[in-house]
Amino acid sequence: MDISYIEHLGIAVKSIDAHLPYYENVLGLKCYNIEEVADQQVKTAFFRVGQTKIELLEPTNANSTIAKFIEKRGEGIHHIAFAVPSVQAALDEAASNGVQLIDPAPRAGAEGLSIAFLHPKSTGGVLTELCMNAPK
C-alpha cells in the first residue's frame, strides 16, 4: 500500500465545544474548520499539527457510530487515517491481503475527502481510515 503520511487522528468526543479550550488554549492549536457530515451523523472539528490533522468527532444522533463508540469505550482515539493516492487501489490491496473491509468502495467524508475504513478485527484492533482528496 502506498501511504504518504498520517492524514489525521480521529478523536470521539461528546461535545466539540467542551474540548475546544483544551486544543486551542492549552495546546495552542487553531480550529480551522467545523462541519457536519449528515450521512455519518457526526459533527467534526479540525486542527493542524504540521502535515497531520486532529479531527474531533461529535455524534449528532444517539444511534450514530460515534455515539455508540463513546457509550461503549468512552471518549478518546477513534481511528487513524492514512493518505493514499487511490482509496480504491488501497482497498483492493487490503482485501487481497485478507483484510476485512468496512467500506468496499470509497465514499464522501469530511473536508471533501474520499474515504473508506478497514475493520479493526483485521488491523490489530485499530480502526483504519484510508483517504485522498476527491477529484474536482
Side-chain angles (χ1 to χ4, degrees):
M1 196 174 297
D2 187 13
I3 294 173
S4 51
Y5 59 94
I6 294 173
E7 210 286 334
H8 67 269
L9 294 173
I11 301 173
V13 297
K14 292 178 184 176
S15 166
I16 287 172
D17 289 340
H19 289 276
L20 282 176
Y22 170 71
Y23 286 92
E24 293 189 325
N25 301 335
V26 176
L27 297 180
L29 303 175
K30 173 76 174 122
C31 178
Y32 70 87
N33 183 35
I34 295 178
E35 72 178 272
E36 185 173 330
V37 184
D39 68 328
Q40 295 179 33
Q41 301 175 326
V42 68
K43 183 166 99 172
T44 63
F46 286 92
F47 306 85
R48 286 197 189 281
V49 182
Q51 187 174 10
T52 303
K53 296 178 273 186
I54 294 174
E55 175 189 35
L56 299 184
L57 301 151
E58 174 186 315
T60 58
N61 181 305
N63 294 318
S64 71
T65 302
I66 297 301
K68 291 175 184 175
F69 176 90
I70 291 170
E71 184 179 306
K72 186 175 182 180
R73 296 191 174 100
E75 295 179 301
I77 294 178
H78 179 260
H79 68 271
I80 185 168
F82 294 106
V84 296
S86 168
V87 174
Q88 188 61 61
L91 285 171
D92 294 345
E93 183 177 345
S96 73
N97 283 297
V99 174
Q100 183 179 348
L101 308 179
I102 292 175
D103 299 302
R107 58 186 165 106
E111 295 197 302
L113 295 176
S114 178
I115 67 166
F117 285 91
L118 307 179
H119 202 288
K121 288 181 181 177
S122 297
T123 60
V126 178
L127 180 60
T128 304
E129 180 180 3
L130 305 170
C131 54
M132 64 180 241
N133 288 325
K136 301 205 187 252

